[in-house]
Amino acid sequence: MHSVAEALVRLGEVAESAPVTRLSAAFAAAGHELALVGGPVRDAFLGRVANDLDFATDATPEQILDIVRPISEAHWDIGRQFGTIGAKIAGETVEVTTYRADSYDGTSRKPDVVFGTSLEADLLRRDFTVNALALRLPQLQLVDPSGGIEDMLEGRLRTPSAPSSSFGDDPLRMLRACRFTAQLDFLVDDATEAALEELAPSIRRISAERVNEELSKLLRTDDPRRGLELLVDTGLAAEVLPELPALRLEMDEHHHHKDVYQHSLTVLEQAIAYEKARGVLRSPDLVLRLAALLHDIGKPATRRLEAAGAVTFHHHDVVGAKLARRRLRELRFDNDTIDAVSKLIELHLRFFGYSDGVWTDSAVRRYVRDAGDQLERLHILTRADVTTRNKRKADRLAFAYDDIERRIAELAEQEELNAVRPDLDGEQIMALLGIRPGREVGQAYRFLLELRLDEGPLGPDVAADRLRAWWAARS
């Protein structure tokens, strides 16, 4: 957190950049107000790089267009009905929005758009005080009508108006509160948390697509744990991702198992650390993070209390993959994400037999084949899933996984393991056996694939001999 003086220096640097000076001069010449608002001002205090340049003005959308048209390389008015005009100025994308004084009907998060005339009033209708900041241009005058700077100094997240009113107007702000606690490393104040608990059911008014967007942004933060815990503690997760609070399984004095909910959050943290350290995936990797968070969601449904205090979760990997597929589909995730997350959850236990006994080359090939293009994510998820405090056990598992990765690399170098295919393709199979396309070709292909996995590459001549023998025995 920077001091006010340091933040003003940073804001001054932003104000002196080519797109801002050009825009500021044009609005001043036209006799209209202009202010840099929201995230860029907040991030100057937090020492973060501002990725967006958002402005507010008393000019109408039509007037904004007239002002930006002569100074921009391109402009667009896709948000015109909401008062927003976009433009590209000096190579930077900017958005300029007319002051707003919206009202809500209490049933939809979409307000009746009403344009305002006051910067202060516009700021007070925003989601949180730390986002209700502005820098008037070209005066470089800081505007903070709701105490956002003090809240940043205290690491506090609260709404400019009464939280029940703010969340009642737009329930999506409740998910944004969870995201910002993680993104900014802030805590919500007591009144805000109470309103989150009271109004959690109203999140049902929000479309699945918007919920997806906020959850994804939360998971992409550097440390999502605080936001996820707020999501669960306030009851919001029960509405949008019920599988997560369901992981807080009841414990009793006779049957003991690790806290599955806290374990899952730790696995997520460790997966993020591996994701960054290994540097193979583009970070942040949403698929990996979803899989890490949800990898054990099959445990509540498969929990069994056995004799002598044992607790089992047989087949929770398979059940969890199905539950994840259903939930992600309801949240409108794309099919590729759903397929990848489900596959990772289904495979996340596969490795743990390796440490009990060295796998054959065939078993290693099958591991790679089944993981497919998710192999690197599976490497990370499996490593992250080790949360035991028993150092000897943790070291043994880490050594075992180092060993399997070494063997995969060696086999890949020897056999081009990433493209495991039979030694003969479908056309060659049909020509060799004198058969037409159909089920028998598929059966022959699978026979050769099993040979390839069990014995490695055989070469076309040996594969042809083995196929003829299989065909003759089959006939």
Side-chain angles (χ1 to χ4, degrees), residues 241 243 290-291 294-295 297-298 318-331 333 338 341-343 345:
L241 192 62
E243 293 79 6
L290 282 167
L294 304 178
H295 76 284
I297 61 172
V318 177
V319 173
K322 292 178 180 177
L323 291 174
R325 180 175 293 277
R326 184 179 68 187
R327 177 57 55 197
L328 296 179
R329 188 180 293 122
E330 289 181 1
L331 288 172
F333 280 89
I338 294 172
V341 172
S342 300
K343 175 184 281 191
I345 293 174

Side-chain angles (χ1 to χ4, degrees), residues 53-312:
L53 290 175
D54 296 324
F55 300 86
T57 180
D58 61 342
T60 65
E62 292 74 17
Q63 292 169 329
I64 297 172
L65 271 172
D66 289 339
I67 295 169
V68 303
R69 189 179 287 116
I71 63 170
S72 62
E73 297 104 69
H75 59 273
W76 49 93
D77 62 355
I78 192 170
R80 186 172 184 163
Q81 62 178 320
F82 302 106
T84 300
I85 302 298
K88 191 168 187 178
I89 301 174
E92 293 286 343
T93 299
V94 303
E95 288 191 349
V96 186
T97 303
T98 306
Y99 296 153
R100 298 268 291 270
D102 303 339
S103 60
Y104 293 80
D105 62 12
T107 59
S108 169
R109 69 172 295 267
K110 295 180 180 179
D112 295 323
V113 177
V114 179
F115 296 141
T117 58
S118 164
L119 174 59
E120 286 78 6
D122 178 271
L123 294 174
L124 287 172
R125 52 166 288 280
R126 294 175 181 253
D127 54 4
F128 302 104
T129 61
V130 296
N131 294 329
L133 301 170
L135 183 73
R136 287 190 186 274
L137 300 168
Q139 304 94 319
L140 298 186
Q141 176 192 0
L142 193 62
V143 183
D144 178 18
S146 58
I149 294 174
E150 183 180 348
D151 286 337
M152 276 194 286
L153 290 169
E154 297 293 333
R156 179 172 57 230
L157 194 69
R158 64 182 183 88
T159 56
S161 58
S164 57
S165 174
S166 180
F167 297 151
D169 284 344
D170 185 359
L172 186 65
R173 290 173 174 171
M174 295 190 290
L175 294 184
R176 287 170 62 83
C178 296
R179 170 166 60 99
F180 279 124
T181 58
Q183 183 176 320
L184 305 177
D185 195 24
F186 284 5
L187 291 173
V188 296
D189 70 343
D190 292 342
T192 301
E193 186 165 2
L196 289 172
E197 294 175 3
E198 177 186 354
L199 297 175
S202 67
I203 198 66
R204 299 169 194 165
R205 287 165 44 194
I206 303 302
S207 69
E209 290 81 2
R210 299 307 300 273
V211 171
N212 173 329
E213 183 180 355
E214 281 301 323
L215 287 176
S216 297
K217 287 180 178 179
L218 169 56
L219 284 173
R220 287 189 175 104
T221 61
D222 285 341
D223 185 5
R225 186 179 194 124
R226 177 175 286 182
L228 291 168
E229 288 179 334
L230 182 63
L231 196 73
V232 170
D233 293 344
T234 57
L236 279 164
E239 303 292 341
V240 299
L241 192 62
E243 293 79 6
L244 187 56
L247 292 175
R248 296 190 294 189
L249 299 178
E250 214 173 298
M251 310 248 182
D252 63 48
E253 59 182 329
H254 303 296
H255 297 88
H256 301 286
H257 58 81
K258 69 176 67 175
D259 184 327
V260 183
Y261 168 63
Q262 290 297 328
H263 164 75
S264 297
L265 295 181
T266 300
V267 171
L268 174 60
E269 288 179 321
Q270 295 186 166
I272 291 172
Y274 279 121
E275 168 196 296
K276 295 176 179 177
R278 289 168 71 98
V280 177
L281 301 176
R282 180 179 296 178
S283 183
D285 189 272
L286 182 61
V287 167
L288 172 66
R289 296 180 184 204
L290 282 167
L293 181 65
L294 304 178
H295 76 284
D296 273 347
I297 61 172
K299 281 191 170 180
T302 58
R303 181 174 182 248
R304 299 290 181 270
L305 307 179
E306 308 291 350
V311 180
T312 61

Side-chain angles (χ1 to χ4, degrees), residues 17-74:
S17 65
V20 179
T21 55
R22 194 174 299 179
L23 198 64
S24 174
F27 273 82
H32 286 289
E33 297 177 7
L34 186 72
L36 184 68
V37 295
V41 184
R42 177 199 69 211
D43 289 343
F45 283 89
L46 297 175
R48 297 168 179 258
V49 176
N51 295 316
D52 302 307
L53 290 175
D54 296 324
F55 300 86
T57 180
D58 61 342
T60 65
E62 292 74 17
Q63 292 169 329
I64 297 172
L65 271 172
D66 289 339
I67 295 169
V68 303
R69 189 179 287 116
I71 63 170
S72 62
E73 297 104 69

